[in-house]
Amino acid sequence: PDGTVVLSSQQLSPGEHNTMIIAEDAHGLLTQRPLQIVINPPPSPPQIEIVPPDPDTSDDISVRIIGSIDPEDEPISFSIEWTVDGIPYEASNSATITSEQTHKGEQWNVRVVASDGLASASPVETGVSIAGTAPSIQDVAISPNDDILTSSLLQCTATATDEDQDTPSLEYHWKIASGGSFGDVIYDGASLQL
């Protein structure tokens, strides 16, 4: 015999238990030794979510962790692992990934494991896709901007940039302002003949 003892029991509650190990040989000789057993069930798996749920390249993303409970009320710690497009992202194991670390079209997943220091819960995982950021218009000009006649030809020019390095397309819609508000579109296009 190698001295291995296997105990299988569903009767022991979480915590410390004082037991006695008794060994008996073929001649009836006995020896015994006290043994302390610690029953330590793992904490429950937490609920997690990534916020914001629909991020673009201008957003930081963070994992929110709630709901893990330890049966013995031991302090719970969480390990966080991020992957991007299925590849482990080892540059950060924090709860937040900054917008500078993400790119349009990437799939970011986070895996969280709760532990009380002795036992770990089953891992939980969730993910989000990174959308592109809307382009921004930098400059708008209408010419001529004075001495306009009812027969003038107005020309609108504009420039736009995109953080995702995409090439923005521009659409021009002319409206009439009245009383501080704009009405319906009266013409589409960069030029408007009055």
Side-chain angles (χ1 to χ4, degrees):
D2 61 5
T4 300
V5 177
V6 178
L7 172 66
S8 178
S9 174
Q10 303 295 324
Q11 305 301 317
L12 297 178
S13 60
E16 297 181 355
H17 298 268
N18 294 316
T19 64
M20 186 69 68
I21 301 297
I22 301 174
E24 181 179 359
D25 64 13
H27 302 288
L29 299 176
L30 301 174
T31 185
Q32 62 184 26
R33 178 172 296 180
L35 177 67
Q36 187 179 71
I37 298 176
V38 178
I39 304 300
N40 184 73
S44 62
Q47 298 177 354
I48 64 172
E49 61 179 351
I50 295 178
V51 291
D54 300 300
D56 60 38
T57 51
S58 67
D59 295 315
D60 296 343
I61 56 174
S62 299
V63 59
R64 182 180 295 165
I65 305 171
I66 54 175
S68 182
I69 299 173
D70 187 78
E72 299 172 286
D73 293 325
E74 294 291 336
I76 299 174
S77 62
F78 301 96
S79 65
I80 299 172
E81 298 176 359
W82 293 91
T83 62
V84 54
D85 293 335
I87 300 173
Y89 187 75
E90 298 180 357
S92 176
N93 59 358
S94 68
T96 298
I97 298 294
T98 66
S99 60
E100 290 80 9
Q101 296 169 287
T102 66
H103 299 87
K104 176 183 175 181
E106 291 177 336
Q107 173 69 32
W108 282 80
N109 283 33
V110 65
R111 183 176 184 266
V112 176
V113 177
S115 173
D116 63 5
L118 293 176
S120 297
S122 300
V124 288
E125 186 171 337
T126 189
V128 292
S129 296
I130 307 298
T133 302
S136 59
I137 296 176
Q138 304 300 314
D139 300 292
V140 178
I142 296 176
S143 62
N145 60 6
D146 55 12
D147 298 328
I148 299 174
L149 305 176
T150 56
S151 60
S152 294
L153 176 65
L154 303 182
Q155 182 74 32
C156 180
T157 57
T159 58
T161 59
D162 186 81
E163 290 186 8
D164 305 316
Q165 308 304 314
D166 292 332
T167 301
S169 61
L170 297 174
E171 296 181 356
Y172 299 85
H173 306 284
W174 297 83
K175 297 182 179 182
I176 295 177
S178 177
S181 61
F182 288 99
D184 295 333
V185 174
I186 61 169
Y187 186 76
D188 294 324
S191 299
L192 174 63
Q193 179 67 59
L194 299 179

